[in-house]
Amino acid sequence: MTLVAGVDSSTQSCKVVIRDAETGAVVRTGRASHPDGTEVPPAAWWDALRAAIADAGGLDDVAAISIGGQQHGMVVLDAQGRVIRDALLWNDTRSAQAARDLIVEFGAGELARRTGSVPVASFTATKLRWLRDAEPENAARVAAVALPHDWLSWRLRGYGPAGESPLGPDLDALATDRSDASGTSYWSPATGDYDRELLVASLGHDAVLPRIVGPGEAMGRTAAHDDIPAGVLVGAGAGDNAAAALGLGARAGDVVVSIGTSGTVFAVTDAPVADETGTVAGFADASGVYLPLVATLNAARVLDRIAALLGVDHTGLCELALSAEPGSGGLVLQPYFEGERTPNLPDATATLFGMTLASTTRENLARAAIEGMLCGLADGLDAVRRLGVTASRVLLVGGAAANPAVSRIAAEVFDVPVEVPQPGEYVALGASVQAAWVLTGSRPEWRPDTLARPDAAPVPRIREQYAARAVVA
């Protein structure tokens, strides 16, 4: 049996999935935690990757590996390959003003034309601009800029600071894929090129950027570490959402709605999009086409917080929500607990509307939390459809998707059929698709089984009352 490995280096943890390269069957898995916070030392990711690989039984019998990772995170390196400061993650909003500054300087329409997206605080360019303004001495030392999956793949192939890596600090060996590059705001999905003017406007000077590795192309091979064998093929890797699309086998007509730390709505399309309103990010995908995407900051943790407030677990939240009527008796939760990315309201807070003696019940609050979270994602579905994306079904994924209340209420909120695939680590599974692709020369057709197809009909008043209360940028 030939084995391949896929990695998901996410905000919260590192997951490794090892599969049979012929059938796609999962053979074994591993996991390790990441530190909390929006500012993290990249060395913690490297330690977690090695721990997760060990937990999965190692790579001695694995032929190829690929890494999917959280998008946008800023990893800045000096000329010796050392990390200059802790990485700012996608959900660190201190760069909100930097995003506004770049939009003022270049114009939203021009930025969308050049990079497919209008920058928000999540994007790498805005974090570099924050670094330039807030920590100019650190910015001046930057010799190369990488993203989390780029840096981990570089380390896996043996590169890094002298004395800490077999091959030393070769910055020109940094590599990435088109999906992750498209989340920087200085790379164009339409042309496939970096926009050096935008990089300089962000950082204050030019720097080494990772070369783009094509779909099905290898970055190189692993170097020997104490716990990692040499010679394993290393695939291109991908941003987390693009890797998830590969793991799901998403095709034209599929819109993926993912409920994780963040919420995302994305679809695979043959043509690039550019939305100068900034609602839709015109990303590239990991297969050679495009991945228009809407992201929200507030997703599964909304349910975590309301469940804790009500003194129940997720099963209890589900039972409470399903015992309330659609529309939650007029109670509307706009769930901007951590600010919001879509709409772009980094300083917003959550608001509960429609509180009356009749509506303010535990049941209605549980349902309002789910409805509010899903209505924000349904707005994202509307936004990608306005750009010409066809939606024939919604694939609902993420840890919360298997909750029967979430899937049923999703069918009441979205106006297209909803399907829930079997739960799985789809980012890691998608990365393993890349690993098999590199190994065999062709993309495998591995698709998950379906867990549920909720038969509830759309209830228009849920979205109507949410829209009536909406706060917009």
Side-chain angles (χ1 to χ4, degrees):
M1 181 188 299
T2 302
L3 301 180
V4 294
V7 177
D8 174 14
S9 182
S10 72
T11 311
Q12 297 172 319
S13 62
C14 182
K15 284 84 69 177
V16 175
V17 173
I18 295 177
R19 304 174 83 176
D20 181 333
E22 183 177 351
T23 67
V26 175
V27 175
R28 56 185 194 259
T29 64
R31 185 184 184 98
S33 295
H34 285 161
D36 291 332
T38 64
E39 185 175 357
V40 172
W45 300 332
W46 176 236
D47 291 343
L49 173 61
R50 296 170 75 168
I53 288 173
D55 190 46
L59 300 180
D60 288 344
D61 55 352
V62 170
I65 187 171
S66 196
I67 299 176
Q70 54 180 302
Q71 283 191 269
H72 311 305
M74 180 192 76
V75 182
V76 285
L77 306 175
D78 68 14
Q80 287 73 48
R82 295 173 301 211
V83 173
I84 293 170
R85 71 169 330 276
D86 288 354
L88 299 187
L89 306 193
W90 62 273
N91 55 351
D92 191 302
T93 59
R94 74 185 74 180
S95 53
Q97 184 58 49
R100 290 189 283 266
D101 292 343
L102 287 169
I103 292 168
V104 168
E105 290 172 22
F106 289 92
E110 177 69 1
L111 289 167
R113 184 187 68 79
R114 289 167 67 163
T115 70
S117 305
V118 179
V120 294
S122 300
F123 290 10
T124 315
T126 71
K127 299 179 187 307
L128 292 174
R129 181 59 170 264
W130 174 87
L131 186 71
R132 188 202 77 172
D133 295 342
E135 299 178 2
E137 292 183 359
N138 280 337
R141 295 173 55 206
V142 175
V145 182
L147 303 174
H149 113 260
D150 313 345
W151 184 81
L152 285 169
S153 299
W154 188 65
R155 294 303 310 270
L156 193 63
R157 291 182 293 122
Y159 302 102
E164 299 179 19
S165 56
L167 301 180
D170 183 355
L171 299 180
D172 290 330
L174 284 163
T176 191
D177 88 304
R178 56 199 302 277
S179 72
D180 225 1
S182 66
T184 62
S185 274
Y186 47 77
W187 184 84
S188 169
T191 68
D193 296 321
Y194 285 113
D195 191 317
R196 294 283 175 173
E197 182 186 6
L198 294 178
L199 172 66
V200 171
S202 302
L203 179 60
H205 61 86
D206 206 352
V208 174
L209 296 174
R211 70 181 177 90
I212 306 298
V213 176
E217 181 185 347
M219 284 185 175
R221 293 181 181 270
T222 59
H225 300 80
D226 291 341
D227 47 2
I228 296 172
V232 180
L233 277 171
V234 180
D240 49 6
N241 294 298
L246 283 181
L248 288 161
R251 303 293 187 182
D254 292 335
V255 176
V256 180
V257 175
S258 177
I259 306 171
T261 305
S262 62
T264 53
V265 179
F266 55 90
V268 176
T269 62
D270 291 330
V273 304
D275 179 11
E276 66 180 61
T277 72
T279 302
V280 180
F283 293 156
D285 88 327
S287 73
V289 290
Y290 304 94
L291 197 82
L293 180 145
V294 175
T296 66
L297 286 179
N298 299 277
R301 285 187 288 187
V302 174
L303 308 187
D304 295 341
R305 178 57 58 192
I306 298 303
L309 180 66
L310 293 172
V312 296
D313 59 14
H314 278 250
T315 299
L317 187 76
C318 167
E319 293 171 351
L320 287 169
L322 290 178
S323 66
E325 293 295 319
S328 307
L331 206 62
V332 175
L333 177 64
Q334 187 166 265
Y336 299 164
F337 287 92
E338 298 183 293
E340 190 45 79
R341 170 172 162 175
T342 306
N344 186 23
L345 297 167
D347 300 319
T349 57
T351 307
L352 188 63
F353 299 96
M355 297 178 70
T356 66
L357 290 176
S359 69
T360 309
T361 66
R362 298 173 77 243
E363 293 80 5
N364 283 335
L365 180 56
R367 179 178 259 273
I370 298 173
E371 289 180 346
M373 177 191 69
L374 290 170
C375 281
L377 293 167
D379 287 346
L381 173 60
D382 290 345
V384 297
R385 288 193 293 194
R386 282 195 293 271
L387 296 178
V389 174
T390 299
S392 57
R393 65 172 177 168
V394 164
L395 295 174
L396 193 68
V397 300
N403 183 314
V406 173
S407 59
R408 179 178 179 83
I409 294 170
E412 295 171 345
V413 169
F414 295 106
D415 59 359
V416 294
V418 172
E419 292 187 21
V420 183
Q422 286 286 349
E425 297 291 352
Y426 284 107
V427 175
L429 291 170
S432 72
V433 169
Q434 287 185 310
W437 193 347
V438 165
L439 186 66
T440 66
S442 61
R443 176 182 173 180
E445 295 294 332
W446 298 335
R447 298 189 183 182
D449 294 330
T450 298
L451 174 67
R453 292 185 177 90
D455 59 1
V459 181
R461 74 171 178 275
I462 297 174
R463 294 198 62 199
E464 289 168 0
Q465 69 181 20
Y466 183 86
R469 300 289 193 178
V471 176
V472 296

